[in-house]
Amino acid sequence: MKSKNILIGCLVTVAIGLTSCKKDSENIFNMFTDVSVTYNALSPLSVTDYKLVNDGDMINIDYTITSANEDMYSITFERSVGSSSTQTRTTTAITDEGQRRQISGQFSLKMQRDGKTSFRVYPLNKLGYFMGDGGKTITVEVSPSYIHTVNRRVYFPDTATRVAPSFYSIKRSESFSYSNGQANAADIDFGLYRRMNVNPTTGAITYTYNIYALDANPNPLTVYDVSTWVKRPTKFSAPVTGGTNIYRNTIGSSSIIEEEAKKRTINLTQTTTNFVAGSIVFFLTPEGKYGVLHINSITKDLDGKPYIDISIKTQR
């Protein structure tokens, strides 16, 4: 009998535990039921749930928030890019006493980042605490507007065998050697070259690294005679050191590529100021497309042959 009572007690304990677990796993958004958020379709620019747009398009987020039992003191506008768990928030105080229980407003945005961006609008109370929004999120997706080519190798010239792929075509995302370069010259945007520097005091050897278009005059790498090659007149900016953050985080669409490029002077047929890992170089193709080249690293392969690893973002 005693064993039976113990068994019953254990079963009751397990049942209570399971009930508690179920309660703890309740969606947090369902715990705030006094606030409702409605996204209104007031114009063709309005987004109420999901919308596919093009780079540079304007959108409106027209909202109405109602609180049944508690006064609202501010409105937070939250943005999440892609699958990132990081949000950016802007909070605006409600100064009109007549809008403590219901408020309508609009956020107007120019979309300039490819992919999906999610938005939320919700109120905070007098203490700055979240009051609820029913878990409502709207998503705006920007259609692909640029081409992103990653981790391409361009080798430094091999003046002996001339088989090192030291020329590069941006639109083909392909490198060529001097041996097969002439047949593909119409597509080649730049070649790679380096200069050796010897310290007159210590004898230490260092190198400076640069790129040149085939129409550079004079040719900075005379050992490679390209005088009879077709010339593709791509223009470049001077290298921008420490440009990794701009490349990764700022440049997210075709329109941003152009905005950032136009902040620089793009008129060079060759760079001369040396680039290092993390440098970026803006360019303008003969077709009028802007782009940016990022130097990921300057290193050697397993055979000891030096090359640069690059990534490129180009307008479509």
Side-chain angles (χ1 to χ4, degrees):
M1 185 68 178
K2 184 176 181 180
S3 298
K4 183 177 181 180
N5 289 337
I6 292 174
L7 178 60
I8 292 173
C10 290
L11 291 174
V12 171
T13 301
V14 171
I16 292 173
L18 291 174
T19 302
S20 299
C21 289
K22 183 177 181 180
K23 185 176 181 180
D24 290 343
S25 63
E26 184 179 359
N27 189 326
I28 187 172
F29 295 114
N30 295 332
M31 299 170 63
F32 300 91
T33 58
D34 296 335
V35 173
S36 66
V37 179
T38 303
Y39 295 109
N40 308 304
L42 302 183
S43 76
L45 299 181
S46 298
V47 183
T48 60
D49 181 38
Y50 168 86
K51 191 171 188 177
L52 180 65
V53 300
N54 293 317
D55 175 35
D57 283 354
M58 296 296 300
I59 66 160
N60 290 337
I61 299 175
D62 298 290
Y63 64 89
T64 298
I65 304 176
T66 302
S67 176
N69 299 314
E70 186 178 6
D71 287 351
M72 301 180 290
Y73 279 80
S74 59
I75 299 298
T76 294
F77 179 62
E78 181 181 282
R79 178 198 304 238
S80 302
V81 177
S83 59
S84 172
S85 59
T86 302
Q87 297 86 27
T88 57
R89 299 181 179 93
T90 302
T91 299
T92 305
I94 299 173
T95 57
D96 186 344
E97 293 295 330
Q99 296 180 323
R100 295 291 182 211
R101 294 300 179 91
Q102 185 177 76
I103 185 171
S104 295
Q106 180 188 89
F107 292 101
S108 185
L109 304 165
K110 184 178 182 180
M111 299 304 298
Q112 289 184 286
R113 177 166 288 276
D114 289 10
K116 293 181 179 180
T117 302
S118 298
F119 302 94
R120 291 172 59 200
V121 182
Y122 54 83
L124 304 180
N125 65 13
K126 190 173 185 178
L127 297 177
Y129 294 156
F130 174 73
M131 296 176 63
D133 66 352
K136 291 186 178 180
T137 300
I138 63 174
T139 300
V140 179
E141 183 172 2
V142 177
S143 298
S145 64
Y146 69 96
I147 300 168
H148 192 191
T149 305
V150 298
N151 298 120
R152 294 297 192 268
R153 292 185 179 186
V154 185
Y155 280 79
F156 289 98
D158 172 14
T159 57
T161 62
R162 301 189 175 189
V163 295
S166 59
F167 297 96
Y168 191 79
S169 168
I170 293 171
K171 68 178 181 179
R172 290 172 59 174
S173 302
E174 188 177 355
S175 55
F176 302 93
S177 68
Y178 183 77
S179 299
N180 64 6
Q182 185 169 11
N184 298 280
D187 293 329
I188 291 176
D189 293 279
F190 65 86
L192 182 63
Y193 75 99
R194 67 178 179 177
R195 291 275 188 265
M196 184 175 70
N197 307 295
V198 180
N199 187 301
T201 303
T202 65
I205 296 176
T206 58
Y207 292 93
T208 55
Y209 307 97
N210 284 286
I211 58 176
Y212 67 102
L214 295 182
D215 63 341
N217 187 18
N219 177 3
L221 190 65
T222 54
V223 69
Y224 278 3
D225 181 8
V226 296
S227 59
T228 60
W229 291 22
V230 175
K231 308 296 192 298
R232 178 173 167 80
T234 301
K235 296 295 186 288
F236 302 93
S237 73
V240 180
T241 58
T244 298
N245 184 62
I246 295 174
Y247 186 86
R248 291 180 179 174
N249 301 318
T250 301
I251 297 177
S253 71
S254 176
S255 61
I256 294 296
I257 290 175
E258 185 164 343
E259 286 180 10
E260 289 295 318
K262 287 183 175 179
K263 294 177 182 178
R264 281 83 185 176
T265 300
I266 304 178
N267 62 356
L268 301 178
T269 56
Q270 64 175 299
T271 64
T272 58
T273 57
N274 189 36
F275 53 68
V276 296
S279 296
I280 56 176
V281 177
F282 290 90
F283 59 84
L284 178 63
T285 71
E287 295 78 22
K289 303 294 185 181
Y290 287 96
V292 57
L293 179 155
H294 180 262
I295 310 299
N296 301 321
S297 63
I298 302 173
T299 185
K300 296 180 180 180
D301 64 15
L302 295 177
D303 295 322
K305 297 176 181 178
Y307 68 91
I308 61 171
D309 185 289
I310 61 173
S311 295
I312 298 177
K313 294 181 179 181
T314 316
Q315 291 180 310
R316 287 183 178 273

